[in-house]
């Protein structure tokens, strides 16, 4: 028999982290000591209280059934309380909050609700890959908004082609940003809202890193800005906030109709988040502040060690205000981010992510993830001395 992949599958770019994982496994199989500064997955466990809450909730057989499509009402109410306390944004837990199986799930399903074949979405570039992937799977075409250092890695809305704007349905924004670690001011959210109203676009704000912050910086929420709820939604996740990447729990909040669209897609493809995990998610939000106070100190110490160390090696890199990434322009005389990352893996046993993996405008950069101990970062700097 002969099976052929669908056209939409063939159009997907290769998922970068799968390729990097292959290289990593090969290096490990050869018995080498690898320092992995590649994928953004917190090295520390979820808070102990959260694991205990899961254990307790898993023992209650009431939680063993299919979860409700719209998610547990107690979890939704806890999310509403968190949004109010953390951002001062008021949300209706009945209609404006939807639990997700990790925010990646909601982000990649959203275009199925709003994008027809032939439509476009506006995606930042470099970016988190599912904005493009979800668009392509739904039959749409991602249109790239370059994030350039000279614009502080904000998209230039005036440069977007007017012909594309007629076909565009969704605009993605992501601050604090992965991979550039850039942040935005409230004024940027206001600009995007005006722009979205003018061109009838849905705003998808990805706030996965709103809690991973340094030097007293505190990002606000898109949903706190006037007009936000008329135009868009915000995705959040417990993955980075509470070291829960493997648990698969996130949520999308905002415009009622957009939430209803995502919920309708989901009701046809999945059956929601395990109730016991939603119960543990409540405890995660209860303990988030205490947990983050500690984790952000840990990340900040690692950030300082890495950035100061790279600068000492003659590689000028700036300290980010948020996210656990350091986005670095390639050292002098290097052009290809893939070649540079390969050299660093071969010669120093260090995995870093080539910028081009996040899109063409990521070329010329590499991303370091601060998800290993300070001791390992010091060791990585020692090894980098020989490569640079
Ligand atoms: C990690 C990450 C997410 C969150 O993914 P989950 O599916 O919630 O684990 C979302 N957006 C960006 C930009 C990320 O880096």
């Amino acid at each position: 028999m002969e099976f052929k992949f669908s056209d939409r599958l063939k159009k997907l770019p290769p998922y970068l982290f799968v390729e990097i994982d292959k290289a990593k496994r090969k290096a490990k199989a050869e018995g080498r000591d690898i320092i992995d500064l590649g994928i953004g997955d917190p090295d520390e466990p979820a808070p102990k209280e959260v694991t205990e809450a899961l254990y307790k909730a898993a023992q209650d057989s009431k939680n063993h059934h299919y979860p409700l499509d719209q998610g547990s009402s107690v979890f939704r109410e806890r999310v509403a309380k968190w949004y109010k306390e953390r951002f001062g944004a008021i949300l209706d837990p009945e209609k404006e909050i939807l639990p997700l199986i990790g925010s990646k799930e909601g982000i990649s399903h959203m275009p199925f609700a709003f994008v027809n074949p032939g439509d476009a979405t506006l995606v930042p570039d470099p970016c988190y890959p599912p904005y493009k992937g979800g668009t392509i799977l739904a039959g749409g075409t991602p249109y790239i908004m370059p994030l350039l250092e000279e614009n502080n890695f904000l998209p230039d809305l005036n440069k977007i082609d007017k012909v594309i704007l007629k076909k565009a349905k969704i605009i993605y924004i992501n601050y604090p940003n992965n991979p550039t670690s850039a942040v935005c001011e409230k004024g940027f959210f206001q600009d995007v809202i005006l722009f979205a109203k003018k061109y009838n676009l849905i705003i998808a704000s990805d706030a996965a890193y709103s809690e991973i912050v340094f030097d007293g910086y505190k990002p606000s929420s898109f949903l706190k800005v006037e007009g936000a709820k008329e135009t868009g939604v915000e995705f959040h996740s417990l993955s980075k906030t509470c070291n829960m990447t493997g648990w698969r729990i996130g949520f999308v909040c905002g415009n009622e109709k957009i939430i209803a669209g995502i919920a309708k897609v989901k009701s046809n493809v999945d059956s929601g988040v395990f109730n016991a995990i939603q119960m543990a998610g409540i405890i995660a939000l209860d303990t988030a502040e205490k947990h983050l106070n500690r984790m952000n100190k840990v990340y900040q110490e690692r950030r300082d060690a890495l950035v100061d160390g790279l600068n000492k090696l003659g590689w000028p890199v700036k300290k980010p205000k948020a996210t656990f990434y350091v986005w670095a322009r390639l050292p002098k005389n290097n052009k290809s981010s893939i070649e540079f990352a390969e050299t660093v893996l071969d010669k120093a046993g260090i995995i870093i992510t080539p910028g081009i993996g996040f899109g063409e405008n990521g070329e010329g950069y590499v991303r370091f993830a601060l998800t290993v101990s300070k001791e390992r970062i010091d060791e990585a700097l020692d090894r980098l001395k020989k490569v640079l």
Side-chain angles (χ1 to χ4, degrees):
M1 280 198 343
E2 195 192 347
F3 302 109
K4 286 209 185 101
F5 287 132
S6 65
D7 293 343
R8 71 174 72 83
L9 205 66
K10 283 189 244 164
K11 272 193 204 148
L12 286 175
Y15 199 65
L16 173 77
F17 300 115
V18 178
E19 304 292 315
I20 292 176
D21 228 41
K22 263 192 224 153
K24 179 166 92 179
R25 258 178 302 168
K26 183 166 165 279
K28 280 198 173 148
E30 292 163 4
R32 301 175 59 197
D33 172 34
I34 301 296
I35 303 176
D36 189 354
L37 304 174
I39 195 161
D41 188 347
D43 52 320
E44 297 217 11
K48 187 171 87 297
E49 295 91 328
V50 178
T51 310
E52 277 163 8
L54 172 66
Y55 181 62
K56 210 170 128 215
Q59 285 169 317
D60 183 347
S61 63
K62 274 206 305 294
N63 290 328
H64 292 188
H65 302 285
Y66 283 121
L68 294 174
D69 276 350
Q70 60 168 165
S72 136
S73 61
V74 221
F75 179 67
R76 279 182 279 116
E77 273 156 29
R78 186 62 188 86
V79 170
K81 183 164 173 259
W82 184 72
Y83 251 88
K84 180 158 176 262
E85 288 169 356
R86 168 64 182 86
F87 300 112
I90 307 298
L91 295 166
D92 175 355
E94 273 304 306
K95 299 182 185 134
E96 297 177 337
I97 297 174
L98 180 69
L100 300 169
I101 311 172
S103 58
K104 184 181 188 179
E105 179 263 302
I107 289 167
S108 56
H109 278 143
M110 180 176 173
F112 285 98
F114 301 102
V115 173
N116 287 314
D119 288 344
T121 64
L122 306 177
V123 297
D125 180 292
C127 76
Y128 180 56
Y131 311 147
K132 290 177 186 165
T135 299
I136 294 169
L137 286 174
T141 307
Y143 174 88
I144 280 167
M145 305 182 288
L147 301 187
L148 306 178
E149 192 161 352
E150 70 221 46
N151 298 333
N152 300 315
F153 299 109
L154 297 173
D156 186 345
L157 302 175
N158 296 319
K159 288 233 168 95
I160 301 170
D161 192 328
K162 295 285 180 297
V163 178
I164 298 296
L165 280 170
K166 288 211 180 83
K167 296 191 256 180
K169 294 289 155 67
I170 302 173
I171 179 169
Y172 295 91
I173 54 174
N174 167 220
Y175 296 96
N177 182 261
N178 175 16
T180 68
S181 69
V183 298
C184 76
E185 302 299 323
K186 200 175 158 194
F188 172 73
F189 288 139
Q190 288 165 335
D191 292 347
V192 178
I193 290 170
L194 285 179
F195 185 77
K197 282 189 175 166
K198 185 165 171 195
Y199 294 102
N200 203 29
L201 300 167
I202 291 173
I203 301 169
S205 165
D206 180 352
Y209 295 94
S210 68
E211 307 312 298
I212 312 298
V213 290
F214 315 118
D215 308 324
Y217 175 69
K218 228 165 161 92
S220 85
S221 160
F222 157 74
L223 289 176
K224 173 65 182 154
V225 180
E226 211 184 297
K229 252 201 253 176
E230 292 156 48
T231 52
V233 289
E234 186 158 82
F235 291 88
H236 196 83
S237 163
L238 297 177
S239 288
K240 317 295 161 52
T241 302
C242 297
N243 296 351
M244 291 170 69
T245 48
W247 294 56
R248 311 315 299 135
I249 181 164
F251 38 92
V252 57
C253 306
N255 183 277
E256 183 183 330
K257 182 155 182 206
I258 302 173
I259 300 276
I262 301 171
K264 189 162 180 189
V265 175
K266 281 174 60 59
S267 69
N268 282 279
V269 290
D270 66 61
S271 298
V273 181
F274 180 26
N275 275 323
I277 291 182
Q278 294 188 65
M279 295 306 112
I282 294 171
I283 305 302
L285 288 171
D286 289 346
T287 58
E289 194 177 339
K290 185 179 106 198
H291 161 81
L292 285 160
N293 281 340
R294 190 181 68 79
M295 269 327 292
N296 283 337
K297 279 201 196 93
V298 170
Y299 291 134
Q300 185 165 330
E301 206 178 85
R302 294 173 182 176
R303 175 200 70 166
D304 292 346
L306 180 67
V307 174
D308 292 342
L310 291 175
N311 288 341
K312 262 191 216 128
L313 294 177
W315 186 353
V317 173
K318 283 190 205 124
K319 284 185 185 173
K321 276 193 203 163
T323 79
F324 45 53
Y325 302 114
V326 170
W327 184 242
R329 204 185 262 281
L330 292 178
K332 254 192 230 122
N333 305 324
N334 289 281
K335 289 219 169 65
S336 155
S337 58
I338 290 189
E339 269 171 35
F340 182 72
E342 277 170 359
T343 307
V344 169
L345 178 58
D346 282 350
K347 298 211 174 128
I350 300 167
I351 296 182
I352 50 178
T353 310
I356 191 148
F358 301 99
E360 61 193 75
N361 292 283
E363 185 53 297
Y365 294 84
V366 284
R367 190 191 73 177
F368 293 83
L370 301 168
T371 46
V372 304
S373 69
K374 180 172 170 297
E375 289 67 36
R376 291 295 271 173
I377 287 176
D378 290 340
E379 163 75 20
L381 286 162
D382 236 27
R383 295 189 196 174
L384 276 173
K385 232 182 254 168
K386 285 170 240 140
V387 183
L388 295 175

